């Protein structure tokens, strides 16, 4: 019998791995996945991921791992499967941002943002894809950004923008490559979202927050749960026909 949409939205019996789990966005994503019934494993290089997992209740596990180290990421996926028997959902959420005029941009910052945002996303998707092929399918969601699809103001962060465009392209390519293996790959592209990282940028650069709000057609920041709910939908069977899509959760910014 065909399941109802409500039933297809449920994630009961599924195991999800969320990178960048020590941050506010990781917490919101884990909460939405948990609310829909998934067992969630949070991972981060930051040991505070344990406290984050604990705050979400018994359905949330945690593993400390460095997203920029391919061997650690491979072990992360293997440990997740060892503990929980499978891996059905990957959310590649780990990422950093910064501000720098291009002419002042130093090599170390460029490498750091690419290592976390691009290399880390690739390592996680590759490791998850290998496991999902053994299982016969799964869902992968990368976190891109409005910065990867349109020019934003007044920030200056060429490396971040390039890295998020790379995440978007990676998801589209893998969606085609892995479609016949039953692995769906999509991206969620947030606009300015009410997180500690964004607030820190706003506090350090007077006038930024006003510019962000002026440029948002809805006149407000996105809430973390709005990004997280889009991720949970794409992870669910209700999105079984959707792959290779970048779902912008941006209050109309990219269409403005």
């Amino acid at each position: 019998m065909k399941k109802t949409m409500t039933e297809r939205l449920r994630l009961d019996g599924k195991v999800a791995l969320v990178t960048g789990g020590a941050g506010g966005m990781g917490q919101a994503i884990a909460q939405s996945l948990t609310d829909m019934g998934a067992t969630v494993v949070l991972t981060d290089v930051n040991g505070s991921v344990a406290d984050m997992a604990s705050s979400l209740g018994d359905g949330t596990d945690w593993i400390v791992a460095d997203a920029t180290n391919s061997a650690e990421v491979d072990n992360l996926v293997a440990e997740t499967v060892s503990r929980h028997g499978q891996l059905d959902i990957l959310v590649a959420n780990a990422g950093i941002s910064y501000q720098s005029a291009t002419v002042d941009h130093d090599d170390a910052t460029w490498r750091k943002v690419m290592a976390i945002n691009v290399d880390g996303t690739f390592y996680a998707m590759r490791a998850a894809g290998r496991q999902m092929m053994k299982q016969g399918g799964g869902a992968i969601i990368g976190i891109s950004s409005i910065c990867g699809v349109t020019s934003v103001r007044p920030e200056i962060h060429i490396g971040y923008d390039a890295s998020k465009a790379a995440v978007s392209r990676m998801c589209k390519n893998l969606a085609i490559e892995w479609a016949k293996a039953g692995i769906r790959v999509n991206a969620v592209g947030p606009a300015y979202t009410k997180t500690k990282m964004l607030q820190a940028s706003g506090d350090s650069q007077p006038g930024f927050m006003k510019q962000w709000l002026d440029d948002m057609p809805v006149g407000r920041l996105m809430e973390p749960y709005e990004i997280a709910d889009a991720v949970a939908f794409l992870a669910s069977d209700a999105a079984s026909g959707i792959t290779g899509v970048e779902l912008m959760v941006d209050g109309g910014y990219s269409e403005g």
Side-chain angles (χ1 to χ4, degrees), residues 89-164:
I89 300 161
L90 168 71
V91 185
N93 168 67
I96 60 169
S97 183
Y98 67 95
Q99 276 123 20
S100 175
T102 300
V103 294
D104 299 324
H105 206 305
D106 62 88
D107 294 353
T109 302
W110 177 269
R111 277 308 329 147
K112 183 177 181 180
V113 74
M114 291 299 168
I116 296 173
N117 295 10
V118 180
D119 297 352
T121 297
F122 169 68
Y123 296 151
M125 290 185 177
R126 181 179 62 182
R130 287 168 174 165
Q131 176 60 33
M132 290 174 182
M133 285 178 184
K134 296 176 186 177
Q135 296 174 188
I140 295 175
I141 299 97
I143 303 301
S144 58
S145 170
I146 54 169
C147 296
V149 300
T150 188
S151 297
V152 299
R153 57 180 187 169
E155 307 105 306
I156 302 170
H157 37 43
I158 189 171
Y160 178 78
D161 295 5
S163 74
K164 288 303 182 178

Side-chain angles (χ1 to χ4, degrees), residues 22-207:
M25 188 68 77
Q27 180 184 28
I29 290 168
Q31 185 66 70
S32 286
L33 295 173
T34 300
D35 288 347
M36 298 310 294
T39 296
V40 178
V41 179
L42 287 175
T43 182
D44 204 292
V45 71
N46 189 332
S48 65
V49 69
D51 296 328
M52 188 70 78
S54 178
S55 72
L56 293 168
D58 294 338
T60 308
D61 196 359
W62 59 274
I63 301 172
V64 173
D66 181 356
T68 69
N69 185 311
S70 64
E72 286 195 30
V73 174
D74 288 345
N75 290 337
L76 165 67
V77 169
E79 181 63 21
T80 298
V81 175
S82 175
R83 293 184 188 184
H84 301 285
Q86 63 202 57
L87 176 62
D88 306 290
I89 300 161
L90 168 71
V91 185
N93 168 67
I96 60 169
S97 183
Y98 67 95
Q99 276 123 20
S100 175
T102 300
V103 294
D104 299 324
H105 206 305
D106 62 88
D107 294 353
T109 302
W110 177 269
R111 277 308 329 147
K112 183 177 181 180
V113 74
M114 291 299 168
I116 296 173
N117 295 10
V118 180
D119 297 352
T121 297
F122 169 68
Y123 296 151
M125 290 185 177
R126 181 179 62 182
R130 287 168 174 165
Q131 176 60 33
M132 290 174 182
M133 285 178 184
K134 296 176 186 177
Q135 296 174 188
I140 295 175
I141 299 97
I143 303 301
S144 58
S145 170
I146 54 169
C147 296
V149 300
T150 188
S151 297
V152 299
R153 57 180 187 169
E155 307 105 306
I156 302 170
H157 37 43
I158 189 171
Y160 178 78
D161 295 5
S163 74
K164 288 303 182 178
V167 170
S168 172
R169 189 69 255 170
M170 203 181 305
C171 290
K172 291 178 185 296
N173 283 17
L174 292 178
I176 301 305
E177 183 179 346
W178 292 348
K180 287 185 171 59
I183 303 171
R184 296 186 297 105
V185 187
N186 294 291
V188 170
Y192 305 112
T193 304
K194 197 181 295 183
T195 62
K196 289 182 180 179
M197 184 169 73
L198 184 85
Q199 189 62 55
S201 295
D203 290 345
S204 66
Q205 300 285 342

